[in-house]
């Protein structure tokens, strides 16, 4: 078997969906050549697609930060130059393939999946590493040597092997999203626990989506850091480096250029094969850096962990919560004010819109994330993979939309309060029936309320036109709709409670030693009162608390 095999530039391995809905595997050169013909990437998982997308973006940054679309060597020298370069690509409608092809062929030796010296995204001769089967590499299975998935996507011998094309995709995924269930060997000096989940697994990933893969690539091709005036440093993707680091768990300085960050080696890997199939791989920790204010990362949402409002902001990537719909984090996504830091890709979209470089009235963003299950950092393993998306009028990112943005954020808070009221109702109906806690019923009702508000809110948000719509009229219409939805759920809850809830129960609060009476008609009438108007909702919020605690009628 030849040592040098499967060149990613020419062999089909990237899964894409054509505009007719059919899927196919294409090579790295093909994906750029025909990007306008493809709807999107179509890998096994949305997180895998993000890992592949970041590779493609690294190539584009490495090429077009240096060359214009006519192939002339002309490194981006100013913010104006960066915007002109981007606009020339957008207006062209396709990638100038000769430039991309010449660049990639120059580094062709670095794009072989199997190579005696420089296997792609791997370390030749890797040792002092933990060995895994292909079932662990496959994110659809995510089986370790001591954890077997109960209902796997593939079974039998098929789960223990991968084709070269599959292995190439999962290689990118593992590098970015690997858990720490097998921190194993080579964790740095004195075996210090520096091993963390892959860089992408620590992010609240967010990606701008276009009408086709070409547009998606360009909308995420951020030529100016955070959409501001700052230029990037010299591009240094992994395949341009003279040597690759092989030491385990290396602390590095955060890259100052996109292509280096986009090709960050969070893991040291080496594939193992038998015949024409990949059977497993060797793995140990790779490069990492401090997460605080790692603003070179353009594809994540951020959280401010400062304990007090007056304290200096402490920004860290904010992981997505699979139980929260994306619209509930609207403030985190687009608010750019003190104590908030907007994702770089959203700020980039804003400057493209503000400069008139994109004509679209709406913008769409997709999130993808891995949920890790653990009782401690060093026992973390993959539990689930999830994604979400949100579309809204691009004018909301402009100064024109600032007042609208604040109003939308306020409306989301109102929705939270309505959900709190229906949770309060469910909790107290449970108490009236005999449950001394009611938390399970409360959580279930809240979850159902957000589910029912989900599509209507997305439709309302997407329909907002800051240039034409009356803010008060639009928000008033949404209030009536969300109130109707929440009250309908409340009516179902009261209809479903049994006769005992109408008789009621008395419970003693162990802290206050007071007796409280819970009876269905009374708690339902209070629910109706508190959800009748915005003013009464605010009173109910203050009375019950944001957590949806019940209002209790005391009887001595």
């Amino acid at each position: 078997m030849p040592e040098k095999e499967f060149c990613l530039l020419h062999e089909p391995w990237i899964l894409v969906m054509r505009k007719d809905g059919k899927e196919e595997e294409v090579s790295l050169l093909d994906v750029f050549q025909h990007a306008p013909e493809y709807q999107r990437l179509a890998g096994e998982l949305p997180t895998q697609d993000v890992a592949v997308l970041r590779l493609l973006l690294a190539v584009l940054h490495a090429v077009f930060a240096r060359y214009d679309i006519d192939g002339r060597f002309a490194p981006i020298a100013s913010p104006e130059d960066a915007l002109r370069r981007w606009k020339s690509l957008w207006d062209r409608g396709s990638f100038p393939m000769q430039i991309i092809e010449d660049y990639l062929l120059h580094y062709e030796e670095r794009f072989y999946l199997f190579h005696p010296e420089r296997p792609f995204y791997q370390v030749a001769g890797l040792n002092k590493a933990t060995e895994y089967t292909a079932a662990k590499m496959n994110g659809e299975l995510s089986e370790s040597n001591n954890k077997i998935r109960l209902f796997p996507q593939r079974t039998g011998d098929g789960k223990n092997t991968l084709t070269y094309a599959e292995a190439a995709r999962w290689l990118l995924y593992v590098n970015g999203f690997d858990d720490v269930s097998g921190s194993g060997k080579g964790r740095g000096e004195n075996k210090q626990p520096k091993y963390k989940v892959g860089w992408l697994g620590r992010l609240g990933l967010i990606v701008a989506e276009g009408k086709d893969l070409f547009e998606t690539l360009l909308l995420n091709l951020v030529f100016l850091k955070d959409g501001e005036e700052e230029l990037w440093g010299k591009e240094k993707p992994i395949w341009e480096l003279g040597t690759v680091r092989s030491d385990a768990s290396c602390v590095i300085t955060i890259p100052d250029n996109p292509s280096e960050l986009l090709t960050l080696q969070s893991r040291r890997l080496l594939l193992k094969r038998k015949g024409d199939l990949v059977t497993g791989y060797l793995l140990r920790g790779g490069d990492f850096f401090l997460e605080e204010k790692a603003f070179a990362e353009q594809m994540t949402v951020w959280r401010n962990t400062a304990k007090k409002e007056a304290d200096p902001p402490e920004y860290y990537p904010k992981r997505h919560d699979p139980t929260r719909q994306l619209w509930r984090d609207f403030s985190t996504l687009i608010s750019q004010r003190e104590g908030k830091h907007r994702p770089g890709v959203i700020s980039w979209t804003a400057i493209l819109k503000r400069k008139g470089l994109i004509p679209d009235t709406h913008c769409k963003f997709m999130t993808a994330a891995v949920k890790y299950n653990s009782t401690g950092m060093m026992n973390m393993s993959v539990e689930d993979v999830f994604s979400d998306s949100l579309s809204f009028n691009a004018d909301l990112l402009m100064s024109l939309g600032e007042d609208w943005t604040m109003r939308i954020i306020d409306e989301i808070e109102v929705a939270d309060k309505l959900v709190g009221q229906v949770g309060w109702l469910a909790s107290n109906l449970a108490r009236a029936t005999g449950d001394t806690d009611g938390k399970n019923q409360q959580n279930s009702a809240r979850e159902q309320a957000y589910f029912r508000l989900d599509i209507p809110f997305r439709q309302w948000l997407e329909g907002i036109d800051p240039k034409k719509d009356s803010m008060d009229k639009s928000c008033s219409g949404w209030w009536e709709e969300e109130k109707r939805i929440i009250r309908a759920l409340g009516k179902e809850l009261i209809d479903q409670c049994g006769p005992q809830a109408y008789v009621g129960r008395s419970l003693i609060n162990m802290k206050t030693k007071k007796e409280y009476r819970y009876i269905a008609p009374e708690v339902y009438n209070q629910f109706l009162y508190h959800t009748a108007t915005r003013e009464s909702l605010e009173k109910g919020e203050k009375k019950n608390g944001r957590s949806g605690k019940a209002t209790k009628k005391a009887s001595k």
Side-chain angles (χ1 to χ4, degrees):
M1 180 181 295
E3 290 188 349
K4 187 171 70 173
E5 194 169 354
F6 203 80
C7 181
L8 302 183
L9 302 186
H10 310 295
E11 300 283 354
W13 65 281
I14 299 174
L15 281 171
V16 296
M17 177 180 288
R18 299 188 334 213
K19 291 187 175 180
D20 61 6
K22 295 181 179 179
E23 295 182 5
E24 63 178 294
E25 273 184 345
V26 298
S27 70
L28 192 56
L29 286 172
D30 284 338
V31 80
F32 289 118
Q33 175 76 54
H34 302 287
E37 303 168 27
Y38 303 137
Q39 187 66 39
R40 58 178 177 83
L41 295 174
E44 286 87 343
L45 295 175
T47 42
Q48 184 195 85
D49 286 339
V50 173
V52 173
L53 180 71
R54 287 171 72 92
L55 170 65
L56 302 181
L57 290 171
V59 172
L60 294 177
H61 274 288
V63 173
F64 295 109
R66 298 159 171 156
Y67 299 92
D68 64 21
I69 64 171
D70 295 319
R72 291 187 293 265
F73 183 72
I76 292 174
S78 68
E80 295 74 21
D81 194 18
L83 293 173
R84 282 194 296 269
R85 180 74 50 85
W86 188 92
K87 180 63 172 173
S88 66
L89 285 166
W90 181 270
D91 288 345
R92 192 178 188 279
S94 62
F95 292 114
M97 279 307 299
Q98 192 60 54
I99 310 167
I100 295 176
E101 187 172 345
D102 288 347
Y103 170 81
L104 288 175
L105 289 177
H106 180 75
Y107 293 100
E108 184 174 19
E109 287 291 306
R110 307 284 172 85
F111 283 88
Y112 279 91
L113 194 61
F114 301 99
H115 193 280
E117 298 172 357
R118 288 291 295 267
F120 179 77
Y121 264 50
Q122 300 166 74
V123 178
L126 184 65
N127 53 35
K128 294 183 180 179
T130 305
E131 184 174 344
Y132 293 100
T133 66
K136 169 68 173 172
M137 173 170 273
N138 187 335
E140 290 186 300
L141 298 173
S142 192
E143 288 188 0
S144 66
N145 293 343
N146 55 10
K147 185 196 76 171
I148 306 301
R149 179 159 291 217
L150 187 58
F151 300 108
Q153 299 288 326
R154 295 160 68 159
T155 58
D157 293 338
K159 74 177 184 180
N160 293 318
T161 59
L162 294 168
T163 66
Y164 290 171
E166 290 173 327
R169 296 192 295 272
W170 290 120
L171 178 68
L172 297 178
Y173 173 85
V174 169
N175 180 64
F177 292 98
D178 184 47
D179 56 39
V180 295
S181 61
S183 53
K185 305 171 184 177
R187 282 191 267 153
E189 295 181 6
N190 302 320
K191 300 292 184 180
Q192 293 299 312
K194 296 177 181 178
Y195 201 95
K196 297 184 176 183
V197 298
W199 174 241
L200 301 189
R202 286 178 267 158
L203 305 180
L205 281 165
I206 182 164
V207 175
E209 289 193 314
K211 294 184 178 65
D212 52 45
L213 183 55
F214 173 77
E215 287 195 4
T216 295
L217 285 166
L218 279 186
L219 291 173
N220 292 282
L221 189 63
V222 182
F223 276 156
L224 295 174
K225 184 178 178 181
D226 285 334
E228 301 294 339
E229 299 294 305
E230 185 176 349
L231 296 176
W232 296 106
K234 182 181 178 181
E235 299 293 341
K236 292 182 289 186
I238 185 66
W239 49 82
E240 290 189 15
L241 301 182
T243 59
V244 295
R245 282 185 289 268
S246 58
D247 294 342
S249 299
C250 292
V251 182
I252 66 171
T253 302
I254 184 170
D256 66 350
N257 64 96
S259 61
E260 184 178 359
L261 181 59
L262 292 166
T263 59
L264 178 74
Q265 301 298 285
S266 291
R267 294 292 181 265
R268 311 286 186 233
L269 292 150
L270 184 63
L271 296 177
K272 301 184 67 177
R273 57 177 173 160
K274 185 176 181 180
D276 58 354
L277 295 173
V278 171
T279 57
Y281 63 105
L282 297 174
L283 175 144
R284 66 180 180 183
D287 300 331
F288 69 96
F289 44 79
L290 297 179
E291 298 171 27
E292 184 180 5
K293 295 183 179 179
F295 293 146
E297 178 56 65
Q298 301 293 286
M299 300 172 74
T300 186
V301 295
W302 299 91
R303 60 189 173 96
N304 180 2
T305 62
K307 294 182 179 180
K308 297 180 180 179
E309 190 172 335
D311 291 344
E314 299 175 7
Y315 293 109
Y316 287 84
K318 179 185 178 183
R319 282 177 174 163
H320 298 300
D321 182 349
T323 66
R324 288 179 64 87
Q325 294 87 350
L326 184 56
W327 57 265
R328 293 168 61 188
D329 291 321
F330 185 77
S331 173
T332 305
L333 293 181
I334 76 168
S335 183
Q336 187 79 321
R337 62 180 191 272
E338 188 174 353
K340 298 281 188 180
H341 188 86
R342 193 159 62 181
V345 69
I346 291 184
S347 293
W348 176 244
T349 302
I351 195 174
L352 294 177
K353 181 65 178 177
R354 188 167 67 247
K355 297 289 187 179
L357 303 185
I358 51 176
D360 296 346
T361 57
H362 282 68
C363 51
K364 183 179 181 181
F365 296 94
M366 182 272 288
T367 60
V370 169
K371 180 183 178 182
Y372 297 93
N373 182 19
S374 71
T375 54
M377 176 64 73
M378 298 312 296
N379 295 314
M380 195 172 286
S381 59
V382 173
E383 181 178 287
D384 195 12
V385 174
F386 58 97
S387 63
D388 198 355
S389 63
L390 193 65
S391 176
F392 52 85
N393 194 298
D395 286 333
L396 292 176
L397 299 175
M398 312 280 284
S399 58
L400 171 69
E402 288 179 359
D403 290 340
W404 262 106
T405 296
M406 296 307 299
R407 188 65 178 270
I408 292 168
I409 292 171
D410 289 342
E411 290 300 325
I412 292 173
E413 291 182 357
V414 169
D416 289 337
K417 293 173 183 178
L418 282 170
V419 171
Q421 289 299 316
V422 81
W424 166 86
L425 174 64
S427 176
N428 280 359
L429 286 175
R431 289 187 175 101
T433 306
D435 192 316
T436 57
D437 188 288
K439 286 191 178 294
N440 290 336
Q441 292 86 343
Q442 182 185 53
N443 292 336
S444 177
R446 289 171 60 87
E447 182 179 342
Q448 182 61 216
Y450 279 121
F451 174 76
R452 296 191 186 191
L453 288 172
D454 186 40
I455 293 179
F457 182 88
R458 293 173 190 270
Q459 292 173 339
W460 174 68
L461 177 64
E462 190 170 1
I464 291 173
D465 186 342
K467 291 181 179 178
K468 299 179 181 179
D469 294 344
S470 163
M471 190 183 301
D472 289 339
K473 184 177 180 181
S474 177
C475 292
S476 177
W478 166 243
W479 160 257
E480 293 299 329
E481 174 68 5
E482 63 182 336
K483 181 175 74 171
R484 181 192 64 78
I485 292 169
I486 294 299
R487 284 187 153 200
L489 178 56
K491 181 65 165 56
E492 290 180 24
L493 293 176
I494 194 71
D495 288 344
Q496 292 168 3
C497 70
Q500 179 59 51
Y502 287 86
V503 175
R505 291 282 180 126
S506 295
L507 298 173
I508 295 177
N509 186 299
M510 300 307 294
K511 292 183 179 180
T512 65
K513 304 301 181 183
K514 291 183 179 180
E515 186 179 273
Y516 294 84
R517 183 73 179 171
Y518 299 87
I519 186 168
E522 181 178 330
V523 297
Y524 182 60
N525 284 336
Q526 290 178 358
F527 165 76
L528 292 177
Y529 170 73
H530 290 147
T531 57
T533 65
R534 292 177 183 267
E535 292 74 19
S536 61
L537 179 64
E538 192 63 32
K539 291 178 182 178
E541 174 73 6
K542 292 178 180 178
K543 193 172 183 180
N544 301 334
R546 290 195 64 84
S547 62
K549 292 180 180 177
T551 299
K552 311 175 187 74
K553 180 180 178 181
S555 59
K556 295 183 179 179

